[in-house]
Structures are given as C-alpha cells and as structure tokens.
C-alpha cells in the first residue's frame, strides 16, 4: 500500500511504525474471510482491510477522528484473526492500538459513553473496586429486564450496555485467593521458580484458576511467587486507548517483577489469562522508546509465558487411566492469534487423558474481547450464540479455554460446564475436580 506521510510526520516513531505496517498491506482481502465483524455484518468498513483504509486516511492527513471512523474502529474486537490469515505479515494489532489512542485523545464521545468508559477503566483493573461492583450488580441483576431499550438494535446505547453488564454479573462470588507477597514452595526437589500473574477481573471472578495453577506447579517441583505490588497488566486500558494508564501499569509491573527476579530469580512470569499475556509479551514494543524501561520491558516480555506454554516443557504426572471425558477446546483469540499458541493446550489435555475436540469455526471470536461484550453487546451476543452453536455440534462433556473473558462469555449461553484448561490439568494430575458453572 502506498503511503504519503511527510518527513515531519515520519519523525514520530509511532507514525513511522504505522507507515511500515501500512506499506506491508497488499489489499488482498484474505483477512475479510476470518474477521468476525465482516462475517456477521458484511460491511467492508467492518473488515481489517476497510479499517486499514480508515486508519491510513486519519493518520496520513492528521485528521480528527470522525464518528464514522470511530464506529468502525470501536466494532473491531482486536481478536487478531486477520494477523493469522494475512500472507504479508501486516501487524494490524499495533496499527489499531495506535488508532484507538488517537481516538481517545482527539474524539469527544457522548457524555454517557465517556462516563461509562471512565468507570470501566477505573473499576475493572482494581480487584477491590471490581468486587464491590459485582456485589452491586448481583443485587441489580433481577431488574435488568426493566431497563428500557428501543430504536436501532445495532446502535449500542447506554441502556443496552447496562443490560449487558448486569447479564455478565455472576450470581455469587468466591472468596478471594492468596494475597500478593505469598510464596508457594515446591512439593519436591525444586526445578524452577516462577511469578504467577494475579490478575484483576479473574482474581475476583474465579481465583480457583490460579489456585489450580499453583497446585499443579508446586506438585511438579516449581516454586510459585505472587509478587507484591503487582498491578493490572494494562490490557483493559490499553485497548480502550488510554495509553498513559496502560504504560503506567506496565512500568509498575516491570519494576515489581525485575525486583523479584533480582531477589530470588525467576524462570518465567506465568499468565493464566491469555488476554493479559498478549499485552505483557508486547511490553517490549510498547516501551521501546522509553530509555529507562526499554531493556527491562524487553526482558519481561521474554520472561512472559502462557501457563500451557510453560507446562509443555515439564514432564507432567499423567494419569494411568484416561478419564475419557470429551472436552471441547475453545482457542481464545489472544492465545491462538495474539500469541500463536495453538497446539500446547490441546496436547496437554490429551496427554492427561481427555478426548479433545476442535470446535468448528474455531478461528472466530466468542465476542468477549475485554470490554467488547459491554460496549458492543448486540454483536457480542451474536458471536457468542454462533460459538455456542458450534460447540454443541461436538457434544462435549466439558468446555475448556484459557481466558477468563471467554469462560464468562461462553458460560452465559450454554449449560455445559465451562472451565479453565489449567483446572482440568490440575484435576488429572492429582488436584480436585473443578468447580463448574
């Protein structure tokens, strides 16, 4: 793709990167076949290729974002299926992230949307606030149907978003998990030492996921540290275009993990929420222009591993007798497209005695995508229903996934138990049976 940025524009490292990404695009359109919003809506501007044209014009002409541009960028799930499909290696993620930052900076949204986005950016990354919010939402949930909605259902109004938020609220909350600063010793001769990301939303909604990871790791000789002063990874605010907040979180985590590595050594920073993992692995890029943090950020990105990525290198104590349970494996977008981890989770489940089934249209997003199922509830619900229908065709006993957002989203549309991959692996190697929805 030909670009026409001026030399002055190209002096900006972000614009220089955008120019490089845009020039890689050859307009082939392969991305449209795997883009969830294009598959559903059939609008070229709701495809990666269409959005690339919109972003190119906005950045190249240094224009303020228009309502039309904002609508189509907001509809992007950042699922990154386009990056898996693209034969030219277009790094769409870095381009759309830059566009979201520009929109957040230069576009004035309606006041109701500004307030909602502010609340989400403050509450979701803070486990204490999020826990209180979930308690309030649980009380309000029975009254969700009384919130009036009218007009074009494709327009995500405040009332539709409030309904979506209440629908996602759990009926009950488990007690909090282990606190930051906790250290879990290896149960046999120590083979390694890792930090485990505590997370924000996951630590409130399902702390049992990290509890299962700790049991499994320590059982196999790995010491696990929950690092004190760790913060939200920054993914939620990053994808909302609030880059200053995201980078502040990234720097705080880098300082905390590097300090822990200096104290006791770390073989890896393990992540059980793949949406977080994709962003942490990108810290090196995000802070590449920060002289004080560039090297440390690159080091942390190299340490970051999805839990299944790390377990693939361990010799797990697999059961002598397979369970025979049929597990439909849902490949979270952030894992299969963002981190290119496709086989490890399925191979681990198979080795541990489960019959693993691939889901038709596994490349398509379930509609969770961070805050997407709140901000774009109609599209998110259509994607969830499509995903659930595809899952039903393989007739599973359980559904496994590696991302809390996917677990909540899919569980909202199906009666089959939905659990984290690590919970099944823990169970198969001596842990308790997972608590299911």
């Amino acid at each position: 793709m030909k670009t026409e940025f001026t030399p002055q524009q190209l002096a900006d490292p972000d614009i220089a990167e955008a120019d490089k990404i845009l020039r890689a695009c050859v307009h082939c359109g392969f991305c449209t076949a795997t883009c969830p919003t294009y598959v559903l809506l059939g609008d070229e501007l709701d495809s990666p290729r269409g959005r690339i044209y919109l972003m190119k014009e906005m950045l190249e002409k240094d224009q303020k974002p228009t309502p039309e541009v904002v609508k189509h960028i907001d509809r992007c799930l950042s699922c990154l299926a386009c990056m898996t499909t693209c034969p030219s290696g277009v790094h769409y993620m870095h381009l759309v992230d830059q566009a979201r930052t520009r929109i957040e900076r230069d576009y004035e949204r309606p006041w109701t949307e500004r307030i909602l986005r502010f609340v989400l950016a403050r509450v979701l990354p803070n486990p204490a606030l999020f826990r209180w919010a979930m308690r309030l939402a649980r009380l309000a949930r029975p009254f969700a149907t009384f919130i009036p909605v009218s007009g074009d259902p494709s327009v995500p109004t405040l009332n539709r978003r409030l309904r979506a938020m209440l629908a996602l609220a759990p009926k009950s909350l488990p007690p909090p998990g282990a606190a930051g600063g906790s250290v879990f010793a290896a149960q046999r001769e120590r083979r390694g030492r890792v930090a485990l990301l505590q997370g924000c939303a996951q630590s409130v909604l399902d702390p049992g996921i990290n509890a299962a990871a700790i049991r499994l790791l320590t059982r196999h000789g790995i010491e696990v540290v929950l690092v004190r002063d760790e913060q939200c990874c920054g993914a939620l605010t990053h994808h909302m275009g609030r880059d200053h907040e995201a980078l502040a979180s990234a720097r705080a985590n880098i300082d905390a993990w590097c300090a822990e590595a200096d104290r006791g050594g770390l073989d890896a920073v393990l992540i059980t929420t793949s949406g977080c993992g994709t962003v942490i692995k990108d810290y090196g890029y995000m802070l590449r222009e920060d002289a004080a943090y560039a090297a440390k950020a690159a080091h942390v990105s190299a340490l970051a591993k999805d839990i299944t990525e790390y377990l693939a290198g361990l010799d797990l104590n697999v059961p002598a007798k397979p369970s025979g349970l049929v597990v439909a494996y849902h490949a979270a977008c952030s894992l299969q497209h963002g981190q290119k981890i496709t086989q490890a989770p399925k191979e681990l489940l198979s080795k541990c005695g489960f019959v693993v089934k691939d889901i038709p249209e596994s490349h398509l997003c379930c509609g969770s995508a961070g805050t997407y199922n709140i901000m774009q509830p109609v599209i998110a619900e259509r994607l969830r229903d499509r995903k659930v229908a595809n899952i039903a065709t393989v007739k599973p006993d359980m559904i496994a996934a590696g991302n809390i957002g996917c677990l909540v989203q899919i569980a909202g549309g199906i009666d089959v138990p939905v659990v984290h991959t690590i919970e099944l692996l823990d169970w198969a190697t001596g842990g308790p049976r997972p608590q299911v929805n």
Side-chain angles (χ1 to χ4, degrees), residues 315 408 434:
D315 186 17
V408 173

Side-chain angles (χ1 to χ4, degrees), residues 196-230:
L196 181 64
L197 179 74
Q198 295 154 69
C200 39
Q202 179 176 285
S203 68
V204 174
L205 296 172
D206 195 349
I209 293 171
N210 269 8
I214 291 166
R215 287 192 301 267
L216 178 58
L217 289 164
T218 55
R219 191 183 304 128
H220 289 83
I222 308 299
E223 182 175 285
V224 180
V225 184
L226 304 182
V227 177
R228 198 185 307 276
D229 299 326
E230 183 186 279

Side-chain angles (χ1 to χ4, degrees), residues 187-188 191 209 211-222 307 311-312 314-323 325 345 347-354 420-434:
Q187 294 178 15
R188 63 189 205 193
R191 301 164 59 191
I209 293 171
I214 291 166
R215 287 192 301 267
L216 178 58
L217 289 164
T218 55
R219 191 183 304 128
H220 289 83
I222 308 299
I307 184 73
L311 291 176
L314 297 181
D315 186 17
L316 297 186
N317 302 321
V318 298
K321 184 179 179 181
S323 72
L325 284 174
E347 290 173 356
L348 287 166
L349 288 167
S350 294
K351 286 178 182 177
C352 286
F354 299 102
H420 196 285
T421 305
I422 195 68
E423 294 179 287
L424 291 179
L425 298 178
D426 174 49
W427 178 31
T429 58
R433 183 184 180 95

Side-chain angles (χ1 to χ4, degrees), residues 29-78:
F30 284 11
C31 57
T32 61
T34 58
C35 174
T37 50
Y38 183 76
V39 169
L40 285 186
L41 305 174
D43 186 338
E44 173 73 12
L45 295 180
D46 283 316
S47 74
R49 182 171 62 182
R51 292 184 181 108
I52 283 172
Y53 281 117
L54 293 175
M55 290 186 282
K56 176 181 182 292
E57 184 174 18
M58 178 179 68
L59 295 174
E60 204 170 57
K61 295 181 180 179
D62 199 20
Q63 296 175 335
K64 282 187 175 293
T66 65
E68 186 75 0
V69 169
V70 173
K71 179 178 79 171
H72 294 293
I73 298 301
D74 281 355
R75 283 181 179 174
C76 174
L77 294 126
S78 283

Side-chain angles (χ1 to χ4, degrees), residues 145-172:
T145 55
F146 296 105
I147 299 175
V149 292
S150 59
D152 185 351
S154 67
V155 178
T157 61
L158 176 63
N159 282 1
R160 286 194 173 89
R161 287 165 171 163
L162 290 175
R163 273 194 173 194
M165 280 196 292
L166 294 177
L168 289 167
K171 294 178 181 177
S172 61

